[in-house]
Amino acid sequence: MKILLATYWSIPHLGGVWNYMVQLREKLETLGHQVDLLGYDEDNTSVYIVNENRKIERSKLLPLLTANLDKETYPEIYANQLVKYTEFQRYIYELSAAYFGLEKYDVIHTQDVIATTAIDRVRPTHVPLVATLHGSVAHSIRHQLDTIHQSDTAFMAKIYFDELERLGATAGDVTIVANHWLKNCLIDEFQVPANQINVLHYGFDTKKFIEQSKKKINIIRPKDKKVILYSGRLVDLKGVQHLITALSLIKKNRSDWVCWIVGSGNFQPSLIAQSIQLGLDDDILFFGKSSDVPALIAMADIVVLPSLLENQPLTIIEAQIAGKAVVVSDTGGLPEMVQDGVTGLVAPAGNAKSLATKIHMLLADEQLLSRLGHTAKTWGMAHWSIDRGVRDLLTLYHVATEKRRKADHHG
């Protein structure tokens, strides 16, 4: 098959969606399929097919859109800046996809609600569309409207993104989510029919990760201290600010640890300032964006993900494969990945005191640390099999193809 993996988000980027797309492409190609990758570039200024380096500049389409989406005719677009930006970016993505040509694909597999709504409008009627949703855009936006995107018209943005969520979850022939948390959100909040949604766990290339984790890097573990690691974007929703507060509480009782924070994002300056203010500048190291995450996880003792909203994060999958004890918050799909006291520890989201207690338990109990890590690895190696994940995905490709064939025939 000729398959297009498409996302509205910029690629490549730090995060699970890009890793999923790359691993899926590699596995599909070993099975004899041809795969293209479509998305915005890292600066969000062009839409391109990554593997062919075919690119359309945003600046070339913007005058056309501005002329056709004028403020007098479409005042609702201009009423909120976030809505305006998203609408223009969505149309640019849609026009670019149409220009590249979609008729040659046997399946288009989108990775978010925005790409799904855009491509559904321009795909040829015979081409099946499968959508994997890696989280809830509407839920993320709601949080941002209370923090970084506050405005008098925030309610309009909420309505807009809620509708975008519903459209994106229903536009494909098949919709895939990674857990029952997101499935229930879509059904209960966004009126998505239950028979539209399939729960399918991501496949993960465990063999490749284990090979990468053995890479020699220029980082030396401190002697006589355990390494606590966070890996991910440094944004408000990841809850790293609560981890830093928790570490300040732990330091009152023990100092036999260091914390490595791996990743980048607009919250980084604030997090660095917080760690200095709490007297943790010698205890917390900020690594920035790194290509050595597997090796860093292998060197760690405890992996912490204190997110305020989360779907199915790659960091926890990697930590489990590496046999590490994890501490996660009780939000989103995390409780479906980590069984409290069995494959890790779970703390209430946003509760720094509880998070400190859980981390302290692992620092104080070597047997618990070892047992949780061992159980997590046993479970993870079986659960995250990429062979099984891709096999199940190909089955859904065929389901979507058959649905599209019938719809095209009756149409």
Side-chain angles (χ1 to χ4, degrees):
M1 287 191 293
K2 179 78 171 174
I3 301 164
L4 177 66
L5 302 180
T7 181
Y8 169 81
W9 312 122
S10 61
I11 51 176
H13 69 271
L14 181 71
V17 176
W18 173 243
N19 279 281
Y20 173 73
M21 290 173 71
V22 169
Q23 290 197 11
L24 179 56
R25 179 194 65 184
E26 291 173 353
K27 186 62 180 178
L28 288 170
E29 287 178 342
T30 65
L31 296 173
H33 303 288
Q34 292 179 276
V35 183
D36 290 340
L37 304 175
L38 173 71
Y40 268 100
D41 63 9
E42 289 187 274
D43 299 321
N44 280 303
T45 56
S46 301
V47 179
Y48 73 136
I49 295 180
V50 180
N51 48 301
E52 294 182 356
N53 204 27
R54 294 172 63 200
K55 182 177 289 191
I56 296 180
E57 300 286 343
R58 180 181 188 272
S59 58
K60 292 183 178 177
L61 294 175
L62 203 53
L64 172 67
L65 284 174
T66 304
N68 284 276
L69 298 174
D70 61 279
K71 193 171 185 178
E72 288 71 27
T73 310
Y74 299 97
E76 66 277 10
I77 293 177
Y78 290 82
N80 179 274
Q81 285 301 308
L82 185 58
V83 171
K84 178 188 172 185
Y85 175 81
T86 306
E87 273 292 271
F88 273 81
Q89 288 291 93
R90 183 165 72 107
Y91 280 122
I92 287 165
Y93 184 87
E94 182 179 303
L95 289 169
S96 299
Y99 175 83
F100 289 136
L102 302 176
E103 64 282 342
K104 61 187 175 184
Y105 296 107
D106 297 300
V107 173
I108 299 174
H109 183 181
T110 51
Q111 308 298 316
D112 56 85
V113 291
I114 303 178
T116 307
T117 54
I119 285 185
D120 181 51
R121 283 164 48 92
V122 296
R123 62 167 164 153
T125 57
H126 69 278
V127 178
L129 177 59
V130 174
T132 291
L133 307 184
H134 296 264
S136 172
V137 171
H139 279 210
S140 297
I141 291 296
R142 288 175 196 175
H143 182 84
Q144 292 177 25
L145 292 174
D146 291 332
T147 53
I148 60 175
H149 289 301
Q150 290 180 339
S151 75
D152 293 337
T153 58
F155 72 96
M156 298 182 70
K158 179 187 180 300
I159 292 170
Y160 169 82
F161 283 100
D162 280 4
E163 178 62 7
L164 200 55
E165 188 98 348
R166 187 190 67 79
L167 288 172
T170 55
D173 298 294
V174 169
T175 301
I176 299 169
V177 297
N179 49 55
H180 290 90
W181 165 75
L182 186 52
K183 178 179 180 177
N184 293 336
C185 281
L186 293 172
I187 294 170
D188 297 341
E189 292 185 48
F190 302 99
Q191 291 75 55
V192 178
N195 61 4
Q196 171 80 26
I197 307 169
N198 299 266
V199 177
L200 179 66
H201 301 298
Y202 302 162
F204 182 74
D205 192 338
T206 55
K207 183 179 178 182
K208 183 177 180 181
F209 173 79
I210 291 169
E211 289 173 358
Q212 292 173 333
S213 69
K214 295 175 182 176
K215 178 183 175 182
K216 301 296 182 184
I217 58 176
N218 296 321
I219 302 293
I220 300 173
R221 268 185 59 105
K223 293 182 179 179
D224 304 321
K225 291 194 176 188
K226 288 199 164 48
V227 174
I228 301 163
L229 181 137
Y230 165 86
S231 175
R233 292 178 297 133
L234 301 185
V235 295
D236 180 36
L237 273 174
K238 292 296 183 179
V240 184
Q241 63 273 28
H242 301 298
L243 170 59
I244 292 174
T245 300
L247 293 174
S248 72
L249 298 175
I250 292 171
K251 194 177 179 183
K252 293 177 181 178
N253 299 307
R254 60 193 312 146
S255 57
D256 56 343
W257 56 270
V258 294
C259 180
W260 295 351
I261 294 181
V262 184
S264 59
N266 58 14
F267 224 50
Q268 184 167 339
S270 171
L271 295 172
I272 292 173
Q274 181 188 4
S275 66
I276 292 171
Q277 182 184 12
L278 292 173
L280 299 173
D281 37 320
D282 291 331
D283 307 288
I284 300 177
L285 300 178
F286 288 84
F287 281 59
K289 190 175 180 180
S290 174
S291 59
D292 296 323
V293 171
L296 291 169
I297 289 177
M299 295 173 71
D301 298 286
I302 302 165
V303 174
V304 182
L305 191 64
S307 299
L308 305 178
L309 178 66
E310 198 62 78
N311 182 48
Q312 185 170 279
L314 181 64
T315 295
I316 298 306
I317 296 174
E318 291 178 329
Q320 289 174 335
I321 300 305
K324 302 300 174 180
V326 300
V327 181
V328 302
S329 53
D330 62 350
T331 189
L334 286 172
E336 293 179 50
M337 299 176 73
V338 179
Q339 186 179 353
D340 191 30
V342 179
T343 55
L345 299 177
V346 181
N351 188 326
K353 187 175 180 181
S354 179
L355 186 62
T357 300
K358 299 284 184 173
I359 296 171
H360 186 275
M361 286 171 62
L362 295 176
L363 291 172
D365 190 338
E366 194 73 42
Q367 286 189 328
L368 178 64
L369 185 74
S370 177
R371 177 170 59 81
L372 293 181
H374 177 76
T375 309
K377 181 164 188 173
T378 302
W379 183 84
M381 289 296 286
H383 193 74
W384 304 119
S385 164
I386 193 168
D387 291 332
R388 186 181 70 179
V390 172
R391 184 173 64 246
D392 292 344
L393 179 63
L394 286 170
T395 298
L396 291 178
Y397 281 1
H398 291 301
V399 169
T401 300
E402 185 61 20
K403 285 179 71 173
R404 182 51 33 191
R405 186 189 66 79
K406 289 179 179 177
D408 204 25
H409 176 73
H410 290 302

